[in-house]
Amino acid sequence: MTDKTSWGQMAEKELRGKPLKSLTWDTLEGIDVQPIYTAEDLIGLDHMGSVAGQAPYTRGVKATMYAGRPWTIRQYAGFSTAEESNAFYRQGLAAGQQGVSVAFDLATHRGYDSDHPRVVGDVGKAGVAIDSVEDMKILFDGIPLDKISVSMTMNGAVIPVLAAFIVAGEEQGVSRTALSGTIQNDILKEFMVRNTYIYPPEPSMRMVADIIEFTAAEMPKFNSISISGYHMQEAGANLVQELAYTIADGREYVRVAIARGMDVDAFAGRLSFFFAIGMNFFMESAKLRAARVLWHRVMAEFEPKNPKSSMLRTHCQTSGVSLQEQDPYNNIVRTAFEAMSAVLGGTQSLHTNSFDEAIALPTEASARIARNTQLILQEETGVTNVVDPLAGSYYVEKLTADLIDEAWDLIEEVEEMGGMTKAVASGLPKLKIEESAARRQAMIDRGEEVIVGVNKYKSKTQPDIEIRDIDNNQVRDAQVAKLKAIRASRNKVTCDGALLELGRRCEEGGNLLEAAIEAARHRATVGEISLAMEGTFGRHRAEVKTLAGIYGSAYEGDENFEAIQRSVEGFAKDEGRRPRMLVVKMGQDGHDRGAKVIATAFADIGFDVDVGPLFQTPEEAAQDAVDNDVHVVGISSQAAGHKTLAPKLIAALKVADAEEIIVVCGGVIPQQDYDYLKAAGVAAIFGPGTNIPDAAQNVLDLIRKSRGHKSS
């Protein structure tokens, strides 16, 4: 009799008639987590038996890991202006932070200068506005770039932003050879989930290769790419999807560089990865262990001679999606658990989210708590004293193996499609991630996945917390003034010449980053450099696709859900058509998880749902609403542009003589903005944690009321 058999007999007695199977946890990943693991579960596992610093690097890429050197504490931040962000970075470095991680505003991400008419609501929101080398110099004023590593989350406008950084370093007296850090430069992920792309896939991949080529030759301390699974998990990917698609993206980038004629050992050692760490504690740790094994397996096909080429090094960030507006101090606890999970998984650097980031950009006080969470982990808990303390855990080792197997199956599926570029073009990975997001949202709304303070153990009162508010108009005015000064003071002839050379290389060949550095040195702006390339490559516009049936299937047989569906059917009978909703994303915010989940859920409830294209202006959204003859427009907001964009949409509807169309908002909207939005004409606001069927009933009641019907 095995240990498991004897345990099963004892467990069945304790369960008093309930099946033993009831103790198995059916995860979103499709991995059935057993209630107990024994040595039997480790028999035949291929990844077992190695030590840290030894292939396949399951236990860590360094022999000594944190016992030799703790992970880097790196806080991701960008606050409207370069001046404010610089002050925050300096303060953080003085308080124990060890690297700088830059969040750019959405105008910068999308390659627009701050004075462009399409970014009125985006300047300085969700990150720092960078229009030129001058902004970049202010951003790093007093921060020695030869000593402090800099991570920049940038993909779409990666060429002009990296160029401005290199020139800012040179003008600070730091040569490009001494610059250390990482540029994200992961465009495939953008086409899948985050959507802050500019150019079509083919020229975008050329830019990736140009950066890998340039940095390998000129910047030996700088990581040319950070292959990101983080944004996949934030968009709804389960851990197997995040793991598989991230590794598959990495494989594609290696192939692109080799196709350029580069030797694998010339660049592979400077590739890095970026993963999200959510609340599935042990599985997240196992995910990082599995990632290292999978990357070593993938790199074997390229036959590198340097072992470092096969080592997966990663930065991690605690989950933004797990942060909740309700009972926000709970987020401190969530972040601490997620940080511990990342550390036990062997991350090389870590960002811990501030508890108020479910609502707004962090305050100095909340950022200090987040930073101190890591310092306490490093200095007080003893976790740095033992290399890979989870090694040998029956549960963790079996989870590691399960994740390796499940992720490899997905990676092979991508290979059968011809690689990740073709897979992304097909839309399949994006679709699978959106399906996962819809399933998880249904689990939360049904209470099957507990979120304390949101769908269980709710507090009757909510604490008042300080919120960082950004005056978008003030920031934009200041940036516009800077742009005018730069354009007035620069040598127009040399600047225009540099931009023409960049355009020529787009058409005829040559390294684009090298040309952009010269243009930035002559004070060409981020928007001008982006436009010079757009002249050849164009601007990419994605096809909008929506799901059906995924959310509703989770509610099959649910009486309350069926009651809402009957209410919708009743409206359709009264009106002769179904309630019709347009879901819009305005401004340059490409995070569309919330919009896509709402669209599929409302459609499954019975609404007719249209989804507008990304990056609309309020005027364009209003016209879509009129053209589609909708009853209601739902604004999805995540990047804090709602105070600017929602009133503009309402004004545009009025101009179009369509005031009868109801406007509602959902997403990351601070409570203190509610009165402002309602005064502007917003009929209802649905914050984070809103139960979607309840929201659908609320919206239906609003439509009925506006049309003179009684609420059902």
Side-chain angles (χ1 to χ4, degrees), residues 63-121:
T64 56
M65 286 302 290
Y66 306 146
R69 178 186 173 190
W71 68 93
T72 299
I73 299 172
R74 191 187 297 280
Q75 291 301 95
Y76 178 57
F79 298 119
S80 64
T81 65
E83 290 86 352
E84 192 173 353
S85 300
N86 173 260
F88 183 85
Y89 297 153
R90 286 192 179 193
Q91 187 178 48
L93 291 166
Q97 185 176 314
Q98 296 149 349
V100 170
S101 190
V102 183
F104 298 93
D105 75 352
L106 290 165
T108 306
H109 273 288
R110 293 268 295 147
Y112 292 116
D113 286 333
S114 297
D115 58 357
H116 197 284
R118 298 196 74 87
V119 299
V120 171

Side-chain angles (χ1 to χ4, degrees), residues 223-238:
N223 298 327
S224 57
I225 191 167
S226 175
I227 304 151
S228 175
Y230 180 89
H231 301 98
M232 298 181 200
Q233 187 178 138
E234 292 291 280
N238 63 48

